[in-house]
Amino acid sequence: MDGGPQKPAVGWENGMLAPVDRLRTERADSPVPGLVEGTEPGAGQQSAMFVHAQSFEDLTAEAEEDVEREAELDESGEPSEDLKVLVGEETIEKQHNDDIPPERGTKEEDVSSEAWRSHRKHVFVLSEAGKPIYTRYGTEEALSSTMGVMMALVSFVEAEKNIIRSIHADGCKVVFLAKSPLVLVGVSRTCQSDKELLRELQYIYYQIVSLLTLTQLNHIFQHKQNYDLRRLLAGSEYLTDNLLHRLDRDPGLLLSAVTCLPLASSARDVVSASLQAAKAKNLVFSILLAGDRLVTLVRKKDQFLHHIDLHLVFNLVGSSSSSREGEGWTPICLPKFNTAGFFHAHISYLEPASELCLILVSTDREDFFNMSDCKQRFLERLSKRSAYQAMKEALKCPSYSVEQVGIPELRHFLYKSKSSGLYTSPEFPAIYQSDEEQERMMGLYQDLHSHLHHPTRPLRSFYRCSETENLLAWVTSGFELYLCFSPLGTKALAHSAVNKLLKWIRKEEDRLFILSPLTY
Amino acid sequence: LLHTSGSTGTMASGMQEKQYTPSLLSFFIYNPTFGPREGEEEKKILFYHPSDVEKNEKIRNVGLCEAIVQFTRTFCPTKPAKSLHTQKNRQFFFEPEDNFWIVMVVRNPMIEKPNKDGKPPTVEYQEEEILDTVYGAVVRQCYSMYKLFNGTFGRAVEAGGVELLIQKLEKFFYRYLQTLHLQSCDLLDVFGGISFFPLDKMTYLKIQSFVNRVEESLSLIKYTAFLYNDQLIWSGLEQDDMRILYKYLTTSLFPRHSEPELAGRDSPLRPEVAGNLLHYGRFLTGPTNLKDPEAKFRFPKIFVSAEDGYEELHLIVYKVECPIMSVSSVSFLASVELTRDFCEQLDSLVGPQLTLLASDICEQFTINRRISGPEKEPQFKFIYFNHMNLAEKSTIHMRKTASVCLTSVHPDLMKILGDINCDFARVDEDEEIIVKAMTDYWVVGKKSDQRELYVILNQKNANLIEVNEEVKRLCATQFNNIFFLD
């Protein structure tokens, strides 16, 4: 793997230099819905980049299978007093607390007002002692008695050797998630199913774990049951705020998948190879992002990144609007990888004005300079190649319009390749430009998703025809597809659109997906 | 005391797994204003099933319900809590009258898996099997049925204090809860509809003029309803009253009388002679045999809506059962105490005429069957409901009696229908939903205006277009194209 700039090695581990053609023949140009997992458009040719995640099921699975990982994690962070140093001084908070997003400004709300009550979705986090840790709206102080009642309900049902799940009223539901030592409560006026809301609470739980590790969290509360966790999380609430905002807007969190920056595979392969070459002993993941889009991800062999962890990284990077100059160094726990220890992430932008953000994840907390060096090596190597320019060009049109697909009345779609954990989707058309409309649109997709993935009555396909749009959702072992048509779209059109779209994605998959992920 | 739990053993890989269907854990009624002070909590409880539950546990469970209701008001002060989901059960809350709460606790279905080495079996609760809409409707039905025979809770308190209400609740629900069959509740309980008998104009007019004549000659009669088998033909009652009365007649009264040995009669098909006319009529409520000098002329009292609240009436159900499998029955509601004279008068007037009408309707029945085609298994099954007139039609349910409701499709498909119905309930606009289940069955739901249609198609290789064509054909033949949304 020493391919210099003159010797563009594609980096296939088995040494085959042109496996693409062979595989190409197995990848039909006109894919049909019946095709099997691994051959659907967008499926990676080598191996998956992520922990094999079929769908959101593994998110809601109870088991916290902490498999022994090869990577040695920094578990040295001694909690209690030491923790304050670790969390208070070294975390992202330090880098970000000077640019707290405006949402936090709305915290002062009258929690008995109609305005407060009528928020679409409330989220509360409390400790098992009933102490407030987080509220999306209003202040924790004003809500301490409400949260006390929540904890009382949880405990009461628990005392009967039972578990409280949810309360339903017309147009409003309350969902409970007990994840010792935390309790999360969601109050929603949306149409989302309990399962969807639980999934969102899980994300919030992991967000908090990613800041502290579960080991420390447990240690704190074992030590002092009524500890006020806000002391440790102060200044990081905006991360949770932002994640909640993403959950309402980002299809990737719904689909348990990420989307890529459209880029010619030749250019992407060069970028990947350059990242691959810039390796270091403790480097586990190299992630290159363009805004919310993945450019490439190179990982240590045998180490997989879970899509939830990746979304937490996206959230961390995307929540910060601080200066794009300089290099950040922050501990981060990737809870789906290991809830016990911290990784250390080197975060920097390739150029000050650029969207391109490089995240190098190391297991060693003293690795800052090594990571900095990796970045330099990567940049030096890449800047000599035309691929760098191609990538910067690609940034100018990070999305595509649905018209390019050429299906009449089609307004928008989501396509997820299950085996690669990647999805593609065009930009929202003009009629869904407002925030409200986009959230409504996401609501429709969430609804389709929860029908297809019903815990006991899953469906193969779901078609809904209403006065505002016609929707079709289709799931096979290889992909998930969600189509949104104008109300003029007929069933015949919807039926034929599936094959047409699969064919188009197959044609474009080189650009839209990462087909040859690399490892070091 | 009561055990409504049904259990069916299923064999799984040699191990004896036990599958339990949803069952009634408890059912209670309370009013928090009756025992507001600490130490007086027991006074809140007006009815509690099972009655042998320890006092403190009753108080605790009621306390939880109060807490849930109170807590939910923090977020929606105007819309009360309707259900609580827990791992083991679901609780349904209903406040039919101010401060009176009815709570039904249903245990989730579960699978019991035996363990080796004498360890207690592992229990797995199936938390997603119960549909809130279905069981919420069951609770509302419980109240409606109580009210039909007793009037409101408030009325009992006014008449005889809390003591009287407690007595009435005890008397009614002790029996009624035994007739709840929670494992076979489905979408039809949500609709609470009425099956109408399709009739040609001529016969319909005959029936109407018959009703008019009877009401004219017997002025004690205030309202009349006319049924053929389990299907309604004519009703002079308010829709909501008819809905619950229909439920009572078809699921409780008729089934009890269709099994003569249970009703303590010999063959019901022996003609009676009234005057010089032969007829097959008899009373289903009131006197079992008019000729019996000891006959009692007591009819059940029911409460129906009137301009100023409710009026209390006697329910007379009179039925004609012809040898050729036709059953017509008329329910009359009369206001004053009824005498032998009145009953004999009614019998001689209604009996012969109804016998004649029955044969007319019977003819229509044969025609209807011919139209609907030969009795071969069709490619589709459907449920139709019209919110405007409560008309309901199901080819999925083979027989709905007091004890059991047999459906001809897999319970999971029935639940998918329920899921689609929930979707429809969320918005007012017309919608259509077509899904393909994992078993490859297609399920189509259409909502147009106030009507809902659900079709299950057993055409596993069909595509969306073919399914749509099939449903169009069905709408054209069965519903005169009332569903036009495409």
Side-chain angles (χ1 to χ4, degrees):
Chain A
M1 300 224 237
D2 56 343
Q6 301 86 359
K7 214 176 94 190
V10 192
W12 293 95
E13 281 162 73
N14 56 10
M16 275 167 59
L17 277 173
V20 181
D21 288 337
R22 184 184 60 81
L23 278 156
R24 190 63 47 186
T25 57
E26 288 167 15
R27 297 166 76 87
D29 284 335
S30 303
V32 288
L35 39 83
V36 293
E37 193 181 330
T39 62
E40 78 277 9
Q45 292 171 356
Q46 186 78 343
S47 59
M49 264 181 299
F50 308 122
V51 170
H52 194 80
Q54 274 293 323
S55 180
F56 80 127
E57 280 82 3
D58 64 343
L59 219 176
T60 40
E62 283 297 321
E64 204 93 313
E65 68 294 340
D66 270 1
V67 192
E68 280 298 310
R69 308 289 185 173
E70 270 178 48
E72 276 175 43
L73 286 178
D74 172 20
E75 294 184 31
S76 61
E78 285 144 34
S80 64
E81 288 317 297
D82 208 32
L83 185 68
K84 291 192 84 174
V85 184
L86 195 85
V87 180
E89 288 180 25
E90 275 195 291
T91 36
I92 46 281
E93 153 199 345
K94 197 182 164 201
Q95 299 151 29
H96 298 300
N97 58 10
D98 51 351
D99 52 79
I100 290 165
E103 282 119 293
R104 276 289 119 179
T106 61
K107 285 237 41 161
E108 290 296 337
E109 280 185 56
D110 178 3
V111 298
S112 58
S113 69
E114 186 53 36
W116 180 82
R117 270 197 295 267
S118 50
H119 284 298
R120 273 176 82 247
K121 201 182 287 167
H122 285 275
V123 172
F124 307 92
V125 183
L126 40 145
S127 72
E128 281 173 325
K131 276 230 164 168
I133 294 171
Y134 171 82
T135 174
R136 187 179 191 181
Y137 303 108
T139 60
E140 290 82 11
E141 290 80 6
L143 288 160
S144 64
S145 69
T146 303
M147 296 209 214
V149 175
M150 290 172 178
M151 195 56 231
L153 293 176
V154 172
S155 315
F156 188 94
V157 176
E158 214 171 64
E160 313 269 294
K161 297 198 168 53
N162 199 349
I163 306 165
I164 191 167
R165 303 288 194 209
S166 56
I167 302 171
H168 297 241
D170 271 333
C172 176
K173 63 176 81 166
V174 186
V175 179
F176 296 84
L177 175 68
K179 280 286 217 179
S180 184
L182 305 180
V183 173
L184 298 98
V185 182
V187 179
S188 165
R189 291 178 189 280
T190 66
C191 295
Q192 284 170 288
S193 65
D194 289 17
K195 195 106 186 165
E196 296 282 336
L197 292 168
L198 275 179
R199 188 178 56 84
E200 301 191 353
L201 293 182
Q202 295 260 10
Y203 263 111
I204 301 307
Y205 166 76
Y206 286 127
Q207 169 61 50
I208 292 170
V209 170
S210 82
L211 292 170
L212 299 172
T213 75
L214 184 58
T215 311
Q216 292 191 352
L217 208 52
N218 281 329
H219 190 272
I220 293 163
F221 286 107
Q222 275 158 16
H223 224 68
K224 199 173 168 213
Q225 220 201 335
N226 60 355
Y227 185 82
D228 186 354
L229 197 65
R230 283 180 304 158
R231 282 166 58 191
L232 283 181
L233 295 175
S236 69
E237 296 93 340
Y238 72 96
L239 284 173
T240 309
D241 291 345
N242 254 315
L243 185 57
L244 282 166
H245 184 68
R246 273 166 189 267
L247 283 164
D248 288 337
R249 306 290 296 276
D250 185 344
L253 291 122
L254 173 71
L255 296 173
S256 304
V258 290
T259 192
C260 309
L261 176 77
L263 181 66
S265 60
S266 54
R268 198 190 311 269
D269 288 346
V270 170
V271 177
S272 303
S274 307
L275 262 187
Q276 185 191 38
K279 60 179 177 175
K281 180 168 155 270
N282 296 317
L283 181 61
V284 197
F285 301 112
S286 311
I287 306 159
L288 187 61
L289 297 184
D292 280 348
R293 294 166 181 276
L294 188 63
V295 180
T296 187
L297 187 158
V298 182
R299 57 182 175 81
K300 206 175 194 113
K301 207 178 158 196
D302 303 326
Q303 302 299 332
F304 291 91
L305 190 56
H306 194 281
H307 60 86
I308 292 177
D309 291 339
L310 188 55
H311 276 296
L312 293 176
V313 172
F314 273 52
N315 188 48
L316 175 65
V317 173
S319 301
S320 153
S321 56
S322 62
S323 157
R324 295 191 167 172
E325 288 171 60
E327 296 158 83
W329 182 240
T330 178
I332 180 172
C333 168
L334 298 176
K336 274 294 181 179
F337 191 96
N338 185 336
T339 53
F342 281 114
F343 282 105
H344 299 270
H346 179 276
I347 302 171
S348 64
Y349 285 84
L350 294 193
E351 286 170 22
S354 161
E355 285 280 300
L356 291 164
C357 180
L358 179 67
I359 301 134
L360 299 169
V361 180
S362 161
T363 53
D364 184 356
R365 74 157 135 180
E366 307 297 335
D367 231 7
F368 175 83
F369 292 105
N370 286 336
M371 292 302 108
S372 192
D373 177 54
C374 285
K375 183 204 170 181
Q376 283 316 315
R377 281 190 281 142
F378 165 66
L379 261 185
E380 273 165 29
R381 193 183 182 96
L382 186 62
S383 53
K384 292 178 196 149
R385 307 291 305 268
S386 60
Y388 191 40
Q389 206 47 48
M391 181 166 67
K392 286 201 274 191
E393 278 303 309
L395 283 175
K396 289 178 188 156
C397 46
S399 191
Y400 52 93
S401 85
V402 72
E403 278 80 27
Q404 291 181 33
V405 183
I407 297 172
E409 308 303 336
L410 182 66
R411 286 178 175 174
H412 195 252
F413 68 86
L414 306 175
Y415 168 88
K416 175 192 170 183
S417 147
K418 278 186 173 182
S419 57
S420 68
L422 298 170
Y423 81 95
T424 186
S425 158
E427 60 205 16
F428 281 108
I431 56 163
Y432 299 110
Q433 277 310 318
S434 72
D435 281 5
E436 244 169 44
E437 277 299 304
Q438 278 180 26
E439 279 183 19
R440 193 178 69 81
M441 176 90 233
M442 269 301 288
L444 296 173
Y445 282 138
Q446 283 166 346
D447 198 43
L448 293 174
H449 186 268
S450 68
H451 275 102
L452 289 186
H453 296 276
H454 191 281
T456 57
R457 301 182 285 281
L459 302 172
R460 285 192 199 285
S461 70
F462 187 100
Y463 178 81
R464 161 185 261 138
C465 168
S466 73
E467 286 172 9
T468 44
E469 47 266 298
N470 293 343
L471 302 155
L472 173 64
W474 195 338
V475 60
T476 69
S477 63
F479 65 84
E480 283 176 37
L481 184 57
Y482 304 84
L483 301 163
C484 172
F485 296 93
S486 89
L488 299 174
T490 61
K491 295 183 186 89
L493 181 76
H495 177 73
S496 65
V498 173
N499 285 324
K500 204 166 172 187
L501 182 60
L502 285 179
K503 205 168 161 178
W504 183 83
I505 294 172
R506 173 64 91 209
K507 187 162 69 71
E508 301 288 324
E509 67 175 347
D510 277 357
R511 252 174 15 92
L512 301 178
F513 293 92
I514 302 173
L515 298 180
S516 26
L518 300 182
T519 59
Y520 33 66
Chain B
L1 186 74
L2 280 185
H3 293 283
T4 36
S5 70
S7 75
T8 48
T10 53
M11 300 290 283
S13 62
M15 294 268 274
Q16 195 81 35
E17 262 188 21
K18 257 182 154 179
Q19 169 101 42
Y20 293 90
T21 54
S23 64
L24 185 66
L25 274 184
S26 56
F27 185 100
F28 46 92
I29 299 168
Y30 69 90
N31 185 326
T33 61
F34 289 176
R37 275 187 292 275
E38 214 162 299
E40 285 185 343
E41 288 88 352
E42 201 184 1
K43 291 186 182 166
K44 295 175 187 173
I45 306 170
L46 304 169
F47 174 79
Y48 202 104
H49 160 85
S51 56
D52 55 0
V53 167
E54 200 227 328
K55 184 183 115 184
N56 282 333
E57 198 189 325
K58 289 182 186 173
I59 291 172
R60 266 215 323 254
N61 291 338
V62 167
L64 174 65
C65 296
E66 284 187 80
I68 294 283
V69 167
Q70 198 54 43
F71 168 70
T72 312
R73 287 202 175 114
T74 320
F75 297 98
C76 12
T78 53
K79 303 268 176 68
K82 288 171 92 177
S83 70
L84 168 69
H85 296 198
T86 69
Q87 180 200 26
K88 294 183 179 174
N89 59 54
R90 287 216 188 160
Q91 317 203 356
F92 298 92
F93 313 109
F94 179 45
E95 186 188 21
E97 298 171 34
D98 278 352
N99 293 314
F100 285 97
W101 288 86
I102 304 180
V103 180
M104 178 169 80
V105 186
V106 182
R107 196 200 54 209
N108 281 324
M110 56 184 197
I111 300 171
E112 212 178 67
K113 290 174 178 162
N115 278 320
K116 286 180 199 138
D117 315 324
K119 271 188 250 163
T122 317
V123 176
E124 215 173 79
Y125 290 91
Q126 297 172 301
E127 298 186 41
E128 305 286 339
E129 294 303 311
I130 289 180
L131 292 176
D132 275 10
T133 45
V134 170
Y135 292 91
V138 170
V139 179
R140 288 196 299 279
Q141 222 170 56
C142 286
Y143 173 72
S144 299
M145 202 61 93
Y146 170 87
K147 202 176 70 174
L148 179 70
F149 290 102
N150 296 281
T152 60
F153 295 159
R155 184 186 166 275
V157 177
E158 264 169 47
V162 179
E163 282 312 304
L164 181 67
L165 176 60
I166 290 174
Q167 274 174 33
K168 278 178 172 284
L169 292 174
E170 197 66 47
K171 194 170 161 230
F172 177 81
F173 283 108
Y174 173 74
R175 279 237 310 269
Y176 186 73
L177 291 181
Q178 299 181 55
T179 68
L180 283 184
H181 294 273
L182 296 185
Q183 71 277 13
S184 55
C185 293
D186 61 30
L187 189 57
L188 286 193
D189 293 284
V190 177
F191 294 146
I194 294 170
S195 173
F196 284 91
F197 186 76
L199 212 52
D200 68 307
K201 242 192 203 116
M202 219 30 231
T203 325
Y204 186 78
L205 287 175
K206 273 189 199 166
I207 289 168
Q208 209 172 16
S209 83
F210 159 78
V211 171
N212 287 341
R213 245 176 303 144
V214 174
E215 288 186 354
E216 219 165 273
S217 344
L218 300 163
S219 56
L220 288 182
I221 293 175
K222 291 203 78 170
Y223 303 103
T224 311
F226 195 112
L227 292 95
Y228 179 77
N229 285 328
D230 279 353
Q231 293 181 295
L232 185 67
I233 293 178
W234 201 91
S235 159
L237 280 160
E238 285 284 324
Q239 216 167 53
D240 274 340
D241 292 329
M242 191 59 231
R243 169 187 251 175
I244 194 69
L245 180 61
Y246 175 83
K247 172 87 186 164
Y248 167 69
L249 293 175
T250 55
T251 63
S252 177
L253 187 70
F254 293 170
R256 254 187 286 144
H257 286 270
S258 64
E259 289 143 54
E261 58 276 20
L262 287 180
R265 298 164 191 277
D266 20 313
S267 167
L269 304 180
R270 203 174 48 204
E272 300 284 332
V273 182
N276 50 1
L277 283 164
L278 199 69
H279 75 82
Y280 291 91
R282 63 188 170 93
F283 288 92
L284 290 192
T285 58
T288 38
N289 186 351
L290 269 182
K291 302 229 162 57
D292 181 358
E294 300 288 295
K296 297 250 177 7
F297 296 90
R298 274 211 304 268
F299 292 86
K301 284 180 189 170
I302 64 168
F303 292 77
V304 301
S305 46
E307 272 161 31
D308 50 347
Y310 283 87
E311 55 182 330
E312 197 175 343
L313 300 169
H314 295 273
L315 172 67
I316 308 162
V317 183
Y318 188 87
K319 173 172 169 178
V320 155
E321 215 161 340
C322 292
I324 34 167
M325 74 153 287
S326 99
V327 186
S328 302
S329 52
V330 204
S331 310
F332 301 106
L333 300 177
S335 48
V336 293
E337 288 300 323
L338 304 166
T339 60
R340 173 184 286 271
D341 269 3
F342 173 83
C343 290
E344 282 173 354
Q345 216 182 332
L346 188 144
D347 184 58
S348 62
L349 176 72
V350 174
Q353 291 195 36
L354 197 54
T355 308
L356 281 175
L357 273 176
S359 72
D360 279 357
I361 302 168
C362 197
E363 215 167 281
Q364 188 70 37
F365 182 75
T366 339
I367 296 168
N368 286 352
R369 280 197 23 172
R370 214 177 304 139
I371 293 170
S372 69
E375 284 284 297
K376 80 169 194 333
E377 179 86 344
Q379 284 291 302
F380 53 79
K381 296 202 160 88
F382 68 86
I383 294 181
Y384 165 84
F385 180 67
N386 183 340
H387 288 270
M388 267 159 358
N389 60 2
L390 305 182
E392 160 188 290
K393 193 171 177 183
S394 168
T395 63
I396 289 172
H397 298 77
M398 297 185 290
R399 196 165 71 100
K400 189 142 190 166
T401 67
S403 58
V404 73
C405 163
L406 289 169
T407 60
S408 52
V409 301
H410 192 274
D412 275 356
L413 283 174
M414 283 310 291
K415 283 173 196 148
I416 290 175
L417 297 189
D419 293 337
I420 297 177
N421 168 256
C422 290
D423 277 7
F424 285 164
R426 290 199 312 229
V427 277
D428 277 335
E429 26 177 278
D430 291 357
E431 273 193 317
E432 178 172 8
I433 290 175
I434 303 177
V435 311
K436 192 178 193 195
M438 279 299 166
T439 49
D440 285 331
Y441 277 95
W442 286 89
V443 181
V444 180
K446 274 170 178 271
K447 181 176 122 184
S448 178
D449 209 359
Q450 295 284 309
R451 301 174 179 89
E452 290 178 35
L453 173 69
Y454 301 85
V455 188
I456 297 174
L457 291 119
N458 181 18
Q459 286 164 322
K460 307 200 170 185
N461 295 320
N463 63 37
L464 191 64
I465 303 167
E466 290 154 356
V467 166
N468 191 44
E469 289 305 313
E470 194 64 42
V471 173
K472 265 188 187 162
R473 266 198 295 281
L474 169 73
C475 290
T477 55
Q478 299 269 349
F479 303 103
N480 299 316
N481 287 315
I482 42 179
F483 296 98
F484 40 80
L485 197 74
D486 194 35

